[in-house]
Every structure is written in C-alpha cells, then in structure tokens.
Amino acid sequence: MGLNPILYIIIPCYNEEKVLPITCKMFLKKLYALIDTGKISDKSRILFVNDGSKDSTWKIICGLAREDVHYIGISQSRNRGHQNAVLAGLMEARDRCDITISIDCDGQDDINAMDAMIEEYLGGCEIVYGVRSRRDTDTFFKRTTAEGFYKILNWMGAEVVFNHADYRLVSNRVLREFANFEEVNIFLRGMFPLVGFKSTSVYYERTERIAGESHYPLKKMLTLAFDGITSLSVKPIRMIASLGCIVALLSFIGIIWAVVGNFTGHTISGWASTVCIICFMGGIQMLCLGVIGEYIGKIYMETKHRPRYIISERTEERECLNQ
Ligand code: UDP
Ligand code: MG
C-alpha cells in the first residue's frame, strides 16, 4: 500500500448511450482532480464494463479509450445483469490496483463522495459503503418500496447496510478474499459484509438520473430482493420448520379435543377418528418438511463453497511489527 494508491473506478453500463457521453467527462474530471491533489496514483483508471449493450455503448467506450489513457473498458459477451457486470469489473481490476470504487454510470451517485471514501481508506478502512442520506428526489413509491426492501432483507437474515446500493470502495485485499466466494447467485451488497475487515460508511445525496431510463422497474427490484434473501439466508426454510412445529402442536391439541369429544358423547360416530387422522398427518408432514428443509438449507450453503475463515492480520507481517 503506497502513499498514493492506484484507484480503479468500476462503472457498469447497459444501453447507456444517452448518459455515458455526459457522465464520462465528470468521472475523468474527478479522477484528474484526485491525481492532481496527490490522493491517488496517475496509474489510476476508469474501467467501464459494457454489459452486453444493444446500443452504441461499447462503441462510445472504445472511443473514450482512444481519447485518454485513463479510460479503459471491458465488454461482457452478453447481458448478465448489473451485479455480474460489477463483479466482472472488480475481478478485472483486482490485481492491477490498490482500491476500487464501483459506481453507476447514470450520475445518480455523487462522485464527490469519493474523496471521503479514499480518506477513510487511508485511515485504515478496507471497505467504505456509500449510503444515501436522503431520498427526496425519489418518488414516494420508489422511496417506500426501496426502504421496505432493506427492512425485509434484514428481517429475512440477509445483512445489508441500510440505504447502501453498489456505490462502494473496496481494497484489493478484500477483493482477493472475495474471489474465494465462488457462488453464482451474487448479491454484492450483502456479500461484502460477509468478507469482514474494517469498514465504514460515507453519506451522500442521491440525485436523479442525468439522462436515459432506469433499468430497475418494480419487477426487477422484487427479483433482486428475492435473490438477495435466498442467496444469503436460509431463514425462509427455518420459517417452514417453525410452522411445522406449530402445526404439529395444534394437531396434538386437535387430537386430544377429538378424543375428549368422542368420550363425552358430543359427536357423531366416525368424526373423532377422522379428525385424529387429519391432524396427525398434517402435523407430521409439516414437521418432516421442516426437517428436510433444514438439510436442504445446509446442502445449499455447502454448495456455495464459501471460505471458512479469512485472516486479517498476522504478527509475522511487517506492517504489524512496525506498530
Ligand atoms: N446495468 C447493467 N446491466 C443491467 C442493468 C443495469 O450494467 O442489466 C447498469 C446500468 O448501466 C447502470 C447501473 O447498472 O450503470 C444501475 O442501473 P439503473 O440506473 O438503471 O438502476 P437504478 O439506479 O434506477 O436503480
Ligand atoms: Mg440509476
């Protein structure tokens, strides 16, 4: 870690020909400002990830790369979605830089928060989450659904930083560990907290899209939320198991009720035995489903082959001995 780190700004782009020509200049200006003030190295780059765009986005990126050495780009063979595009950029940058900052290309996230992010990195943080301080520019609908999204995610056991999307600084040290998370269903904002290391948040105001249209209508947002929950947590399965226990208990009470009813003579013949069988089967089945679900949950987590431990410090390392 040198005094001025190499920064790679990772920018996913999907059909962004309207906004890219405007925002690319803002990013470059910011990069030069950071280089000129000696905060980052001149080897820093702006890395565009074309996510299989169908418009002229890739052509624009190629043109930019010819214009200035600080612009570089990679292109995915087809559209894979925002999360995969960011991942591709991060992995591409991993061995070439000290820090990465991922940011959307539509100018919604305030680029001036980068200064504070780098400041936090220099102060010892390995991950810096960009958090929206306000959502005034969002419609009431977007605001309530988005905030509900974070609450449900957390309640369902996927820990995410409230109001943090994918604007974040990540050091290459974290990226090296992150590369060991081999799962295919990725939900970056929920996975980085799993890596650990010192982290903090930087607050910024999110504005409206400068041009073009959002790729995240409600349907896609719900899909993202569902993916986030199911790829980070087996809590939904646990809930089935709990439900099984409750149903089994209720069935047991139901059986007692039917038997008592039978002996006190308030029932027609055949009723009690039928109720007993229904309750018994219902209870047993729900309980068994829950138990099987627990195992499926374990198998699911095992198939991810996540690292079992990550070491952050060693006494034998030089940095530690110098302290
Ligand atoms: N994006 C992408 N692949 C996709 C959809 C979106 O790389 O399949 C990029 C897009 O170009 C933008 C970022 O992801 O840079 C966020 O998308 P958008 O602004 O449409 O989402 P919103 O801000 O409305 O949630
Ligand atoms: Mg956007």
Side-chain angles (χ1 to χ4, degrees):
M1 192 176 15
L3 208 57
N4 43 8
I6 302 174
L7 165 71
Y8 269 50
I9 302 178
I10 315 289
I11 309 174
C13 308
Y14 176 55
N15 292 347
E16 300 284 14
E17 62 184 7
K18 283 207 192 93
V19 78
L20 197 56
I22 308 167
T23 51
C24 67
K25 298 202 181 70
M26 297 163 43
F27 291 124
L28 189 66
K29 209 172 136 209
K30 186 80 218 169
L31 197 79
Y32 273 123
L34 288 167
I35 293 170
D36 292 342
T37 51
K39 278 205 174 133
I40 57 171
S41 156
D42 187 50
K43 292 199 190 95
S44 300
R45 295 287 179 269
I46 296 168
L47 171 59
F48 295 105
V49 183
N50 174 36
D51 187 20
S53 301
K54 291 174 184 68
D55 63 2
S56 63
T57 301
W58 181 238
K59 246 172 88 189
I60 297 171
I61 294 171
C62 292
L64 290 173
R66 279 191 295 271
E67 230 170 72
D68 193 302
V69 288
H70 294 95
Y71 286 130
I72 55 174
I74 54 174
S75 186
Q76 294 222 84
S77 57
R78 67 177 174 94
N79 179 250
R80 296 294 301 266
H82 174 222
Q83 297 290 298
N84 291 75
V86 175
L87 179 73
L90 291 174
M91 290 302 122
E92 181 80 8
R94 179 171 44 142
D95 298 320
R96 302 201 219 161
C97 63
D98 299 302
I99 43 176
T100 59
I101 293 180
S102 50
I103 187 168
D104 291 351
C105 76
D106 55 10
Q108 281 193 285
D109 300 315
D110 182 11
I111 50 173
N112 294 317
M114 287 186 189
D115 298 69
M117 285 181 169
I118 294 165
E119 226 37 77
E120 293 288 358
Y121 165 77
L122 295 173
C125 286
E126 305 276 346
I127 307 177
V128 186
Y129 300 103
V131 176
R132 294 163 206 183
S133 55
R134 291 191 309 165
R135 278 183 176 271
D136 295 2
T137 53
D138 284 347
T139 59
F140 174 76
F141 180 72
K142 173 97 185 175
R143 190 165 62 229
T144 32
T145 49
E147 291 190 343
F149 169 81
Y150 290 96
K151 291 204 178 107
I152 291 171
L153 277 178
N154 276 315
W155 184 67
M156 283 298 215
E159 274 173 51
V160 287
V161 176
F162 191 70
N163 268 344
H164 159 68
D166 281 296
Y167 185 19
R168 81 176 84 70
L169 178 147
V170 180
S171 73
N172 75 343
R173 189 174 178 206
V174 169
L175 287 178
R176 277 200 301 270
E177 301 295 347
F178 186 75
N180 295 325
F181 284 67
E182 293 171 358
E183 56 212 83
V184 181
N185 291 296
I186 49 169
F187 184 63
L188 298 173
R189 71 190 79 165
M191 288 167 68
F192 277 108
L194 296 178
V195 184
F197 291 101
K198 199 170 172 218
S199 65
T200 189
S201 298
V202 157
Y203 295 85
Y204 70 95
E205 281 176 28
R206 191 165 153 103
T207 50
E208 276 168 51
R209 222 175 206 282
I210 291 179
E213 261 156 42
S214 168
H215 303 92
Y216 274 94
L218 185 65
K219 189 165 155 263
K220 256 196 175 174
M221 231 168 79
L222 289 176
T223 313
L224 185 70
F226 195 69
D227 277 351
I229 293 164
T230 51
S231 62
L232 286 169
S233 142
V234 290
K235 198 162 174 181
I237 291 178
R238 288 263 145 78
M239 286 161 84
I240 295 177
S242 311
L243 192 69
C245 288
I246 294 168
V247 171
L249 192 73
L250 288 178
S251 302
F252 186 64
I253 295 169
I255 290 171
I256 293 174
W257 173 55
V259 169
V260 169
N262 185 41
F263 284 115
T264 50
H266 296 302
T267 60
I268 51 165
S269 84
W271 176 83
S273 51
T274 312
V275 168
C276 281
I277 292 168
I278 294 174
C279 287
F280 183 72
M281 292 308 283
I284 284 277
Q285 279 176 355
M286 222 34 200
L287 202 63
C288 291
L289 263 185
V291 173
I292 294 171
E294 273 296 309
Y295 284 99
I296 293 179
K298 293 252 153 61
I299 294 169
Y300 178 57
M301 282 304 177
E302 290 288 343
T303 56
K304 288 180 185 279
H305 295 298
R306 281 181 181 164
R308 279 163 297 178
Y309 57 85
I310 294 171
I311 293 165
S312 69
E313 268 143 320
R314 286 190 176 84
T315 55
E316 288 148 306
E317 274 166 13
R318 209 146 39 102
E319 274 170 47
C320 184
L321 290 177
N322 287 346
Q323 274 174 11

